[in-house]
Amino acid sequence: DYNISHSSPKNRGKWYQPSRADGRVWRVAPENVKPIGSFQSDLSKKSNAELIQLLSHANDWYARQVRRIFAERRDMSIASALTQMLDGDDQRLALQALWSIYVSGAFDDSLAMNTPGSKHEYVRAWTVRLLGDQRRVSKHLHSKLVALARDDSSVVVRSQLACTAKRLPASLAMPIVAELLKHNEDADDVHIPLLLWWAIEDKAISDTSLVLQLVESPETWKLPIVQRFIIRRLARRLTAEASDAGYSAAAGLLSQALDDKALGEKEVESVLSGMVEACSGRKLKDVPSTLKNRLVKLLNRENPDVKVVQLALRAGLIEAPEKLLERSTRPVAELIAIIRVLGETNCERSVKRLLRTALEAKTESIQVSALAALANFDDEIIGNIMSSHCSSFRPNAKRQAIDLLCGRVDWGMSLLDSIEAEMIDAKDVSRDQIRLLLVHDDEELNRLVTKTWGRIQPQTPLEKQGRINAVTQLIRRRKGNVTRGEVIYKKTCASCHKLHGQGTPIGPDL
């Protein structure tokens, strides 16, 4: 067993192995190799007292082997000597002692009542962790954990408390979470806010009433962690359950944000944002009256929030949805959100209005969003109108229109007819879009594609991987030009996607 010090900078940080079985020949100068003890392989012959002494050995291998032996012996008589080490000044040794007590089977409630008061943060944290392994705690120990959550100054301990809360029953977990939420200093922590949400989310459906008790008071709503990480996610989780209980709980959360005079628009915005995120891409079916009534009241306000309009559309509460796009004074982003919902809810009455919007909108992003929404419908008129007007669109809208026409066999035929009539330039159709036409595997469509562009083979997995490797090498070869890249992004991607807050939220946020 040797301690190797590296006097030469070129050797610093390297690992060295012995070249002889006795371990005495090294690839470093002999003066840098200093024995710190003889290697003892058979530790099982040692007494408990001797093994306890090895816990403080500089080589951690000994401590690991000692704990393994204690786990095999399960001799709880060692607890007395190990408990005395918990109060020492050496945190590492105190932690080794706690682990050894645990593996020997001597870790019980009486010991756990004392270790939360240890001066060592890792001893306190590991006490919480080991209690969580049992997934239950006694009433007195639970009080200790709640007190730790309220008073402990260590982020290590609070982080472990958040993890353990997820593993405990809701009746025990929520009081711990309630205290941890009050630590405003943790709002900027990388882990703790999301660990707390992890614990809440685990109980949000199984124990909804206990979870909602966390946010009964307006003071809790205004806590930084709750404002930034919990409310929106909780509203989203309850709504995403798509059950009477989930919808009713979300309605209750929304009602509290609206009716409590101590809360304001910021809290209402958080709840509505979570609910809108949960409903993305689908209709709301079998919505209970509690949520319907609340949405109707909000919808009847002057200039209702666009999120309320989106929820009402998905719930089928708006009788003439197509009128939402007529002479609207809403900002572009709100109009795009409404257009997307009209498409995702497959509102047949809005097809003509969406076609007019695609043809007449003065803003290209609105044109693009209307074309994307039309892809959700099968109406034959869509293909006919798009193929005859495609050439008049702006570049991004033209690209989206061609994507749209490639999405159906009949529409694809209309596209090829327009190309043959020279109403659309064949060069405007990209290779990827041609492959979209081939995906339909229609004999006549394939014949026309071959006639127009020649024989095009679909990419094999090997070709795709080759392209990925080529791009990866290109990226690593030199640094990118941010200024030029931003121009390309705005021209090519921003019409449908957002990146760092820039762009149009038609497709996924990049």
Side-chain angles (χ1 to χ4, degrees), residues 65-84:
Q65 297 306 310
V66 167
R67 292 200 306 273
R68 178 183 59 79
I69 295 169
F70 284 157
E72 293 170 351
R73 291 180 181 177
R74 298 293 282 182
D75 184 356
M76 291 188 285
S77 65
I78 64 173
S80 177
L82 290 170
T83 302
Q84 297 176 14

Side-chain angles (χ1 to χ4, degrees), residues 288-307:
S289 57
T290 50
L291 181 55
K292 279 185 180 179
N293 294 339
R294 179 53 76 175
L295 289 176
V296 168
K297 287 182 179 178
L298 291 172
L299 198 60
N300 290 333
R301 288 181 172 182
E302 186 178 356
N303 296 321
D305 189 290
V306 67
K307 295 182 177 63

Side-chain angles (χ1 to χ4, degrees), residues 251-280:
L253 204 63
L254 179 59
S255 297
Q256 185 177 354
L258 289 164
D259 299 338
D260 196 318
K261 294 181 180 180
L263 302 178
E265 291 300 319
K266 187 175 182 179
E267 288 74 24
V268 175
E269 169 77 12
S270 293
V271 177
L272 289 173
S273 295
M275 296 176 72
V276 167
E277 288 173 14
C279 301
S280 180

Side-chain angles (χ1 to χ4, degrees), residues 53 121 154 217 429 433:
Q53 291 297 317
E121 62 178 348
S154 169
S217 69
V429 184
Q433 289 168 332

Side-chain angles (χ1 to χ4, degrees), residues 9-299:
K10 69 177 182 179
N11 291 329
R12 192 170 295 124
K14 292 185 179 179
W15 289 89
Y16 293 90
Q17 295 294 331
S19 58
R20 276 202 351 230
D22 62 7
R24 293 186 179 275
V25 178
W26 298 79
R27 287 175 289 170
V28 288
E31 63 269 18
N32 292 331
V33 181
K34 302 173 184 177
I36 57 174
S38 58
F39 179 74
Q40 304 171 51
S41 59
D42 192 0
L43 302 181
S44 61
K45 297 179 181 179
K46 291 187 175 293
S47 66
N48 287 340
E50 291 174 315
L51 291 174
I52 290 174
Q53 291 297 317
L54 287 175
L55 288 174
S56 59
H57 199 284
N59 188 338
D60 193 60
W61 179 89
Y62 286 101
R64 294 197 301 271
Q65 297 306 310
V66 167
R67 292 200 306 273
R68 178 183 59 79
I69 295 169
F70 284 157
E72 293 170 351
R73 291 180 181 177
R74 298 293 282 182
D75 184 356
M76 291 188 285
S77 65
I78 64 173
S80 177
L82 290 170
T83 302
Q84 297 176 14
M85 298 165 62
L86 295 174
D87 298 325
D89 293 331
D90 187 338
Q91 179 169 233
R92 175 185 173 277
L93 187 56
L95 194 55
Q96 295 286 358
L98 178 65
W99 289 339
S100 299
I101 292 171
Y102 181 76
V103 298
S104 68
F107 184 79
D108 55 17
D109 284 7
S110 60
L111 178 67
M113 286 292 290
N114 295 321
T115 46
S118 171
K119 59 186 176 183
H120 302 303
E121 62 178 348
Y122 282 97
V123 171
R124 301 195 301 274
W126 269 93
T127 297
V128 176
R129 160 68 191 274
L130 297 176
L131 289 172
D133 287 348
Q134 302 171 20
R135 298 184 183 273
R136 58 177 178 81
V137 291
S138 66
K139 180 180 178 180
H140 296 298
L141 277 175
H142 181 247
S143 299
K144 285 278 187 180
L145 295 183
V146 173
L148 270 183
R150 182 182 63 246
D151 302 326
D152 205 293
S153 60
S154 169
V155 69
V156 174
V157 177
R158 296 198 299 272
S159 179
Q160 182 57 59
L161 282 163
C163 293
T164 295
K166 194 260 184 186
R167 311 174 77 189
L168 297 176
S171 59
L172 301 176
M174 291 304 105
I176 296 172
V177 170
E179 295 299 334
L180 292 173
L181 291 173
K182 297 175 183 176
H183 287 272
N184 296 341
E185 66 271 26
D186 290 337
D188 294 321
D189 187 85
V190 175
H191 303 294
I192 290 181
L194 293 179
L195 287 174
L196 289 171
W197 165 242
W198 188 46
I200 292 170
E201 191 273 341
D202 185 63
K203 325 292 182 189
I205 302 304
S206 60
D207 298 274
T208 306
S209 59
L210 290 175
V211 169
L212 291 179
Q213 286 177 15
L214 286 174
V215 290
E216 279 185 340
S217 69
E219 290 78 15
T220 303
W221 281 68
K222 293 186 179 297
L223 293 172
I225 294 178
V226 176
Q227 276 191 342
R228 290 165 52 183
F229 297 94
I230 305 301
I231 292 298
R232 180 175 58 83
R233 287 181 169 86
L234 182 56
R236 183 180 66 190
R237 181 63 186 91
L238 294 172
T239 308
E241 189 64 14
S243 65
D244 282 354
Y247 286 142
S248 297
L253 204 63
L254 179 59
S255 297
Q256 185 177 354
L258 289 164
D259 299 338
D260 196 318
K261 294 181 180 180
L263 302 178
E265 291 300 319
K266 187 175 182 179
E267 288 74 24
V268 175
E269 169 77 12
S270 293
V271 177
L272 289 173
S273 295
M275 296 176 72
V276 167
E277 288 173 14
C279 301
S280 180
R282 64 185 178 92
K283 293 181 179 180
L284 293 179
K285 297 181 179 179
D286 303 320
V287 178
S289 57
T290 50
L291 181 55
K292 279 185 180 179
N293 294 339
R294 179 53 76 175
L295 289 176
V296 168
K297 287 182 179 178
L298 291 172
L299 198 60

